[in-house]
Amino acid sequence: GIFFQYTYKFKEKLTLIAGIRGDYSTLYKPFVTPRLHLKYSPWEKTNIRLAVGKGTRNSMLFAENNYLLTSSRKWNFSNVYGQEEAWNMGVNITQYIELWDHNELTLSAEYFHTEFTKGLVIDMDADVRSINVYFTNQRMYADNVQLEAKFSPVKGLDITGAYRWSRNMQPLAGKMQERPLTAAHKGLVAVSYTTPKRSWQFDANVQFCGGGRIPTTVENPEPYQRDSRFKPYQLYNLQVTKWFKQWSIYAGGENISNFT
């Protein structure tokens, strides 16, 4: 592979980075991935970033979908050799707000759109007793909007809140559908406190997961049919850490409410 990058700066307000990489793979032959990043700071504590670029990835089929191996479905493979290719573009706006005692509130908002030119499809909707896996050149895309706030009201206490909306569309069972088992709405509230002299650290977070689509089960007998969507749920995690000079110990719990 060979990579070239050009960076242009205009005073302290504008930075432009353009890059292009060319690769030759014995498996996938030549491919090129360009990218362009722009950062603009109209005011001292405001950053606006624009990005566009092409990406490729090798899909680790079974490692990324090992939960499907617990089902009784038959796997059907067709044209599973290759790389996923996509164009990604978006914008991010970050605002820093100075508060009392030099504490700072960070607000961030971003939108990104990913358009696949070639993607791996795992279709569980075409047949209720099969999983069809194949690469396709049909349109696949994803939209993501994320809002985030970070705040430290007192020394040692960090609070983070985030919300993300996603729309992930794929050609499933012959029509464009929402990707199954993926929540459109997600949220996070995380609180971390470290005592003076960094003796103890306490971490707690709650993850909010909105509902999503379930692969169709209409071909099953009625007693074995499921709802078309799963309901929203939350996950709670806690951790306590004791710091020493050279080492630390911790205890914690994940999914404390035991949601399944």
Side-chain angles (χ1 to χ4, degrees):
I2 186 170
F3 176 70
F4 172 81
Q5 178 174 295
Y6 172 75
T7 302
Y8 170 79
K9 290 186 177 182
F10 179 74
K11 297 182 178 180
E12 297 297 325
K13 289 185 174 294
L14 181 67
T15 302
L16 173 69
I17 299 176
I20 188 168
R21 180 182 172 104
D23 286 88
Y24 178 83
S25 164
T26 55
L27 294 177
Y28 306 113
K29 305 308 178 184
F31 57 94
V32 177
T33 48
R35 66 186 179 97
L36 179 67
H37 295 268
L38 178 68
K39 178 186 175 184
Y40 176 58
S41 301
W43 303 283
E44 181 182 357
K45 292 184 177 294
T46 303
N47 294 324
I48 301 173
R49 294 178 174 88
L50 301 174
V52 59
K54 184 181 181 182
T56 62
R57 69 183 293 267
N58 302 332
S59 178
M60 302 292 100
L61 175 60
F62 293 112
E64 296 169 1
N65 301 278
N66 55 8
Y67 64 95
L68 294 177
L69 297 175
T70 62
S71 75
S72 61
R73 291 174 179 252
K74 177 184 177 182
W75 288 70
N76 299 319
F77 301 97
S78 175
N79 185 28
V80 296
Y81 175 80
Q83 286 182 307
E84 290 189 301
E85 300 177 1
W87 285 91
N88 187 53
M89 59 205 74
V91 57
N92 171 277
I93 301 175
T94 303
Q95 178 70 53
Y96 302 95
I97 302 174
E98 188 170 332
L99 303 173
W100 60 86
D101 296 331
H102 302 289
N103 290 323
E104 200 169 59
L105 170 64
T106 303
L107 302 176
S108 176
E110 66 181 36
Y111 166 73
F112 278 88
H113 174 79
T114 303
E115 192 80 22
F116 286 86
T117 56
K118 184 178 181 181
L120 184 68
V121 174
I122 300 175
D123 192 342
M124 294 181 283
D125 289 275
D127 182 357
V128 74
R129 279 173 266 284
S130 299
I131 301 175
N132 298 328
V133 183
Y134 57 90
F135 271 100
T136 181
N137 293 323
Q138 298 182 53
R139 189 188 182 203
M140 297 170 52
Y141 68 92
D143 292 302
N144 290 279
V145 175
Q146 181 164 310
L147 306 174
E148 183 177 305
K150 295 182 179 180
F151 180 43
S152 298
V154 296
K155 186 176 181 180
L157 177 61
D158 297 315
I159 302 174
T160 301
Y163 165 77
R164 187 181 71 184
W165 171 81
S166 302
R167 177 173 58 186
N168 195 326
M169 304 298 290
Q170 296 181 336
L172 302 170
K175 60 181 179 180
M176 189 69 76
Q177 297 190 67
E178 176 188 350
R179 181 180 177 180
L181 308 178
T182 302
H185 302 275
K186 286 189 175 182
L188 169 71
V189 176
V191 179
S192 178
Y193 177 69
T194 304
T195 60
K197 298 183 180 180
R198 203 169 179 256
S199 299
W200 292 87
Q201 181 174 332
F202 304 89
D203 295 278
N205 69 65
V206 54
Q207 301 174 34
F208 304 92
C209 193
R213 193 176 71 83
I214 293 177
T216 180
T217 56
V218 295
E219 295 180 13
N220 283 336
E222 188 171 347
Y224 304 104
Q225 294 182 11
R226 290 184 176 271
D227 294 335
S228 60
R229 304 188 67 83
F230 60 85
K231 298 178 180 179
Y233 61 92
Q234 298 82 42
L235 299 175
Y236 302 91
N237 308 305
L238 289 172
Q239 181 171 305
V240 179
T241 306
K242 172 60 178 175
W243 295 94
F244 300 93
K245 287 186 177 181
Q246 302 294 333
W247 55 286
S248 64
I249 57 174
Y250 70 88
E254 296 182 355
N255 192 20
I256 293 174
S257 61
N258 195 29
F259 173 80
T260 302

